[in-house]
């Protein structure tokens, strides 16, 4: 059980560090000009089933701008409900052991860049099945359906999205 807590802490720290690197790595000379079409709208769908209290399931989404135009404004809708000005949302095991197994995240407005992080560890028991899809400006950029994580295995992915 301590390994599960350590993995969750490590994933959370990874998410925070990744967001910090993305934000810190952006300089002012890269800011889009007003009316610039170099931003992206994101729709990310994640599903997990078969997880139990001995497993670790973490999905994280983030969106940000090179400037501060996102602050104090809605960033994400989760299953149709605005989540306030959270630029990142982390779902854990508890989000997938109840009746809701699928979450749809949509940016409220376009952003300069975003990401999807996935960490699923099947520590004991039956298989966990996950699916995830990222649509960027209406086009599928990442898609994995019915990925089965067997007992003792894990699935780790980190995707970043920016205008093309």
């Amino acid at each position: 059980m301590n390994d599960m807590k350590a993995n969750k802490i490590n994933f959370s720290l990874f998410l925070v560090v990744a967001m910090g690197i993305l934000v810190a790595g952006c300089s002012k000379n890269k800011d889009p000009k007003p009316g610039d079409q170099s931003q992206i709208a994101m729709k990310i769908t994640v599903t997990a089933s078969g997880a139990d209290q001995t497993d670790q399931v973490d999905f994280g989404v983030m969106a940000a701008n090179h400037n501060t135009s996102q602050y104090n404004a809605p960033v994400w809708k989760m299953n149709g409900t605005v989540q306030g000005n959270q630029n990142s949302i982390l779902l854990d095991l508890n989000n997938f052991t109840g009746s809701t197994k699928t979450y749809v995240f949509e940016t409220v407005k376009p952003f300069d860049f975003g990401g999807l992080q996935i960490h699923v560890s099947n520590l004991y028991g039956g298989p966990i099945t996950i699916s995830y899809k990222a649509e960027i400006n209406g086009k599928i950029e990442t898609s994995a359906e019915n990925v089965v994580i067997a007992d003792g295995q894990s699935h780790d992915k980190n995707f970043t999205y920016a205008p093309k």
Side-chain angles (χ1 to χ4, degrees):
M1 194 63 114
N2 288 337
D3 288 337
M4 186 168 73
K5 287 182 182 179
N7 284 340
K8 185 171 268 189
I9 290 169
N10 287 340
F11 179 75
S12 297
L13 289 174
F14 169 77
L15 182 62
V16 170
V17 170
M19 289 182 341
I21 290 171
L22 285 172
V23 172
C26 302
S27 67
K28 289 183 181 180
N29 62 359
K30 294 180 185 175
D31 285 347
K33 296 177 178 76
D36 189 353
Q37 298 300 316
S38 64
Q39 292 186 315
I40 57 174
M42 293 176 280
K43 180 179 180 182
I44 297 174
T45 305
V46 298
T47 301
S49 60
D52 62 35
Q53 293 300 320
T54 62
D55 299 317
Q56 181 175 352
V57 177
D58 293 307
F59 286 93
V61 296
M62 61 86 57
N65 286 319
H66 296 293
N67 59 34
T68 59
S69 66
Q70 81 206 41
Y71 300 112
N72 297 318
V75 176
W76 289 104
K77 284 193 274 182
M78 182 171 72
N79 291 349
T81 302
V82 174
Q83 300 299 299
N85 64 342
Q86 300 177 71
N87 67 331
S88 65
I89 299 173
L90 178 63
L91 299 181
D92 63 15
L93 174 67
N94 293 329
N95 296 102
F96 296 97
T97 55
S99 61
T100 304
K101 305 291 186 196
T102 299
Y103 292 86
V104 178
F105 298 93
E106 296 178 83
T107 51
V108 173
K109 65 177 187 169
F111 286 87
D112 292 340
F113 54 91
L116 167 63
Q117 293 84 31
I118 302 152
H119 175 76
V120 178
S121 292
N122 186 343
L123 302 176
Y124 308 102
I128 301 170
T129 303
I130 63 170
S131 297
Y132 48 92
K133 177 172 65 172
E135 297 173 60
I136 308 303
N137 291 335
K139 295 183 180 178
I140 297 173
E141 294 285 325
T142 305
S143 182
E145 291 188 34
N146 300 319
V147 176
V148 177
I149 298 105
D151 183 14
Q153 294 183 342
S154 63
H155 184 86
D156 295 290
K157 297 289 181 180
N158 183 25
F159 300 99
T160 57
Y161 306 103
K164 293 185 179 196

